[in-house]
Amino acid sequence: MSAVDAAAPSGTSVLVADRVTKEFGGLVAVNDVYLDVPRHSIVSLIGPNGAGKTTLFNMLTGLYKPSAGRILLGERDITHDRPDQITSLGVARTFQNIRLFAAMTAVENVMIGRHARMNTGVFGSIFRPPWVRNEEKAVRARARELLRYVGLQEDTLEQLAKNLSYGDQRRVEIARALASEPTVLLLDEPTAGMNPQESRALTDFMRKLRKELELTIFLIEHDMKVVMDVSERITVLDYGEKIAEGPPEQVRSDARVIEAYLGVQE
């Protein structure tokens, strides 16, 4: 194990990628990466395009299975769990490209995120007894509450997702992730397409989520001002390998990071 990977897992780690590798045919997208995300922390994952960041996210959430290594959620090995099982265990995510149902309202999109916590089965869906209708009513009310919490205005809650502004679509996606009541929230480029004012607001909101909902937040982000401002720890990938890890001030001055990523931005 390299010096970059030598850090032992924290006793309070909530999510661990234990020396994971992902190969696609002959291409190694992620190579022997170890990282751990401490509970109630805000950790960022950075690196140039093609560094393997989203591939790592996809392994953490069950969309991809590692070619080697394992994924731990607390003490549980979730390496081979399905995405819906991982969601039910308390991990939620957003995507780099917004994945809302365009022909559904903001409220309806968030209600879908609540599905993992609903009790309705096949019987209830077909015959719709009173308890099912009551549950749906409660889920709709909770969806509206979450949309207000993430900053949507009242008159946008019943608008179709395709008619919302880009920033509001991002907020709906975060609200949908929160609807599953996660303990760990993974955000894939949450400020993409946002102006500086919107990015600052989202940075403040991430801190609010961590404090008020006691969330652990792990994000991929290209906006280095956001990364340096919000992160307590930063992990850097380049060509699928971890090249640096530490607090923002340490990563900012790392020669390999400057060469691989920060220098490119300048």
Side-chain angles (χ1 to χ4, degrees):
M1 188 179 296
S2 69
V4 170
D5 293 322
S10 163
T12 58
S13 297
V14 65
L15 186 62
V16 175
D18 185 10
R19 305 195 67 175
V20 295
T21 294
K22 181 61 181 176
E23 299 177 357
F24 297 97
L27 173 67
V28 180
V30 174
N31 185 25
D32 195 32
V33 169
Y34 175 89
L35 67 83
D36 69 288
V37 182
R39 191 178 304 276
H40 299 155
S41 63
I42 300 179
V43 176
S44 290
L45 181 66
I46 69 171
N49 290 332
K53 303 182 298 296
T54 297
T55 298
L56 180 57
F57 254 42
N58 287 340
M59 287 191 285
L60 294 173
T61 54
L63 291 175
Y64 293 162
K65 303 305 177 190
S67 305
R70 59 182 185 155
I71 308 294
L72 301 175
L73 181 63
E75 298 297 320
R76 175 171 175 146
D77 188 333
I78 61 170
T79 308
H80 302 292
D81 287 355
R82 300 189 310 267
D84 62 297
Q85 293 173 319
I86 294 173
T87 298
S88 70
L89 292 171
V91 179
R93 72 169 293 178
T94 64
F95 290 85
Q96 178 179 353
N97 300 313
I98 295 174
R99 297 189 181 183
L100 298 178
F101 293 95
M104 297 176 70
T105 67
V107 169
E108 290 167 341
N109 269 281
V110 177
M111 289 176 69
I112 290 173
R114 184 66 183 172
H115 178 75
R117 303 297 180 194
M118 294 179 69
N119 297 315
T120 303
V122 175
F123 175 86
S125 299
I126 295 173
F127 295 102
R128 296 182 55 77
W131 68 267
V132 170
R133 294 195 295 272
N134 290 338
E135 184 179 44
E136 289 179 353
K137 186 181 298 184
V139 168
R140 179 174 290 274
R142 178 57 176 161
R144 296 179 69 89
E145 180 182 343
L146 284 170
L147 287 167
R148 296 187 194 101
Y149 183 73
V150 301
L152 256 70
Q153 299 300 312
E154 191 71 29
D155 60 358
T156 65
L157 304 188
E158 297 294 344
Q159 286 189 24
L160 297 181
K162 65 182 180 182
N163 295 331
L164 297 173
S165 69
Y166 188 88
D168 278 348
Q169 289 182 18
R170 283 282 179 195
R171 293 181 184 93
V172 172
E173 197 171 43
I174 293 173
R176 183 172 63 183
L178 294 176
S180 67
E181 297 183 2
T183 56
V184 182
L185 180 62
L186 279 66
L187 304 174
D188 194 345
E189 298 194 27
T191 69
M194 291 187 175
N195 61 42
Q197 182 178 358
E198 290 173 324
S199 294
R200 284 194 299 272
L202 185 58
T203 299
D204 292 339
F205 184 64
M206 282 188 275
R207 294 193 185 97
K208 178 180 178 181
L209 288 175
R210 192 263 298 273
K211 180 179 180 181
E212 295 183 355
L213 302 184
E214 298 185 345
L215 287 179
T216 301
I217 299 176
F218 186 39
L219 67 146
I220 295 173
E221 184 53 65
H222 280 296
D223 186 330
M224 296 310 301
K225 189 175 189 311
V226 170
V227 169
M228 295 298 171
D229 187 27
V230 78
S231 308
E232 291 151 358
R233 182 196 292 179
I234 300 170
T235 299
V236 189
L237 296 184
D238 191 28
Y239 293 107
E241 297 187 351
K242 185 166 76 171
I243 63 169
E245 185 174 69
E249 57 273 14
Q250 175 183 324
V251 170
R252 180 188 285 118
S253 60
D254 187 286
R256 293 185 67 186
V257 175
I258 294 170
E259 179 183 358
Y261 189 80
L262 298 179
V264 173
Q265 294 300 307
E266 293 172 355

